[in-house]
Structure formats: C-alpha cells, structure tokens
Amino acid sequence: MTVAALSLFAGACAQAPAVPEGADAALTQGRDVWSARCATCHGPDGGGGTGPRLNNGQVLENFPDAEDQTTVVVQGRNNMPSFSSVLSDEEILAVVRYSREVLN
Ligand code: HEC
C-alpha cells in the first residue's frame, strides 16, 4: 500500500464527530483541540483508548458539573496529563464543551 493510501485510510478512521451546523465557533474550536490533543488517548470519537471513554453520556454522568471536568483537564489526574501550560483557558473550555455537547 502506498503512503498516500495509508494516510487516507488513517484519515477516514480518525475523524472526530462533526459539530452540528449552525453551532457556535467555540464548539468548532473545541473539536480542533480534541483532534489535536485528546483523540490519541481517548479515541477520535471519545470511545476510549489509553484514556477512558468520554462519549455516550459517560462524561455527563461522571461530571454533572462541567467545572469538575475542566479541573481534570487543567490539572491532570494520574496518567491524564495537565493541559494548563499547553492550552489557553478558552481552548480548555471549548474542548470541555465539545466533549459534553458533541461527543456527549
Ligand atoms: C496521554 C494520554 C491522554 C491525553 C493526551 C489526554 N488524556 Fe484525558 N485521560 C487520560 C487518562 C489515562 C485518564 C484517566 C485518569 C485517571 O485514571 O485518573 C484520563 C482522564 C480524562 C478525563 C476524566 C474522565 C473520567 O471519567 O473521570 C477527562 C474529562 C479527560 N481525560 C479529558 C481529556 C481532554 C479534554 C484531553 C485533551 C485536551 C485529554 N483528556 C487528553 C489520558 C489522556
């Protein structure tokens, strides 16, 4: 298989779910952050991998309060890295919203 075909194949499998049409820009930003920073461990669709599953309502169940979820992303926890020096507050809020509203 050629390199081009391989990367096409990887691209087809590694898509984070799209933001609904007409959603605000923060969700699109959140999807970009998710794809770049989180999908490797949590799976492109949030289905889990090295990190736990966040989709199918899991994140809403574990974090009824979004602020508690934000704290994990900011500070890290066990093998979950801290993103406070990697992402801006705005990016962290955006990715937390994406996981709650789109991965859901
Ligand atoms: C290097 C792998 C890795 C990366 C990258 C990563 N995570 Fe995690 N994440 C983990 C692991 C492992 C855990 C479980 C931590 C624990 O056991 O306490 C976790 C836990 C979490 C949790 C808590 C889940 C729960 O149900 O308690 C959230 C929320 C989360 N990650 C969000 C993110 C977001 C958002 C990003 C991107 C900004 C991200 N993670 C990037 C590995 C990762």
Side-chain angles (χ1 to χ4, degrees):
M1 204 186 276
T2 64
V3 172
L6 271 175
S7 58
L8 269 178
F9 181 68
C13 291
Q15 286 287 331
V19 166
E21 221 173 298
D24 60 297
L27 281 185
T28 304
Q29 180 189 28
R31 180 176 186 267
D32 291 345
V33 172
W34 175 264
S35 302
R37 303 285 183 179
C38 321
T40 44
C41 287
H42 290 280
D45 64 351
T50 318
R53 182 166 70 78
L54 302 181
N55 65 4
N56 292 338
Q58 190 66 57
V59 89
L60 299 177
E61 192 181 313
N62 291 1
F63 301 97
D65 186 343
E67 259 183 55
D68 296 331
Q69 185 187 346
T70 305
T71 302
V72 174
V73 181
V74 169
Q75 298 181 352
R77 201 184 69 199
N78 301 315
N79 288 333
M80 162 74 186
S82 157
F83 283 91
S84 59
S85 59
V86 181
L87 298 173
S88 66
D89 291 353
E90 188 192 328
E91 288 171 319
I92 289 174
L93 282 179
V95 76
V96 166
R97 273 197 58 201
Y98 175 75
S99 71
R100 298 179 76 85
E101 294 173 39
V102 182
L103 296 179
N104 202 307

